[in-house]
Amino acid sequence: MAAAPVHPLHLSTTYLAIDEDAVFLRVRLFKNDLEAALAAASGLESLDLRPTAAHDSLFLAYFTRAFELRFDDADVVPLLTASGEDEETREGDERIWWAELRYDVPGGVEALTIRARQLFEWFEDQRNVVRVLRTSSGKQKTLYFAAPDEDWSEVRLD
């Protein structure tokens, strides 16, 4: 199933902060694109996304399939800590949906491996930008994923 593009740009941004014992993510996507993907993944005709437990569960199931994150070659299960619609979007602009996730990683993280494929199944021009920050050192790295690329990217911020 393909969605008719409403806007000419298909992009998500993810900010990933590596702390001592946890990794925090804040992902932002166009709300209408995400609604179409979640509805299709759930067998629904449509979805009006809200920050509810049921919708958070749909998002988490979809996101963890599309955005894969491994820590030092180990899989870690995320916890969705918050979600909602960006209230600062100006009238006439596309609505943005954000979600915050936490990955507990006792003992810290030396290396991350990331594959960011969210919405690739919907838009052949989908782009996903992931900005990684190690909070203790301030070191940063920006990754760029373009549909239909299925590759993994490794990040070391020693």
Side-chain angles (χ1 to χ4, degrees):
M1 178 189 297
V6 175
H7 44 83
L9 176 67
H10 297 103
L11 175 75
S12 79
T13 57
T14 302
Y15 299 95
L16 187 151
I18 304 168
D19 209 350
E20 295 299 320
D21 291 324
V23 172
F24 301 91
L25 262 72
R26 182 175 176 101
V27 60
R28 294 169 50 87
L29 307 103
F30 287 110
K31 185 180 179 203
N32 61 335
D33 294 347
L34 181 59
E35 287 172 333
L38 294 180
S42 305
L44 302 171
E45 194 168 309
S46 65
L47 179 68
D48 182 17
L49 195 55
R50 302 280 180 219
T52 65
H55 288 180
D56 283 350
S57 178
L58 291 177
F59 172 81
L60 192 57
Y62 172 79
F63 188 74
T64 55
R65 282 193 311 270
F67 187 95
E68 297 172 271
L69 191 55
R70 293 186 181 145
F71 305 92
D72 301 319
D73 296 322
D75 291 324
V76 179
V77 178
L79 171 65
L80 183 65
T81 58
S83 67
E85 188 171 332
D86 190 341
E87 298 297 328
E88 296 181 17
T89 305
R90 291 177 286 196
E91 189 171 332
D93 287 349
E94 293 294 329
R95 304 303 296 176
I96 301 295
W97 188 260
W98 58 266
E100 295 178 350
L101 297 96
R102 176 188 173 118
Y103 296 76
D104 290 319
V105 286
V109 174
E110 294 298 320
L112 294 175
T113 309
I114 302 169
R115 183 160 64 172
R117 299 173 298 136
Q118 56 273 25
L119 302 175
F120 278 12
E121 72 277 19
W122 279 88
F123 305 107
E124 64 186 29
D125 63 340
Q126 177 71 33
R127 304 296 182 254
N128 299 319
V129 177
V130 180
R131 187 168 183 190
V132 181
L133 166 71
R134 180 172 296 278
T135 59
S136 61
S137 68
K139 290 184 180 180
Q140 300 179 41
K141 184 170 186 173
T142 301
L143 306 172
Y144 180 76
F145 298 87
D149 187 6
E150 295 284 329
D151 291 340
W152 291 83
S153 290
E154 184 177 58
V155 177
R156 290 189 174 276
L157 297 171
D158 308 281

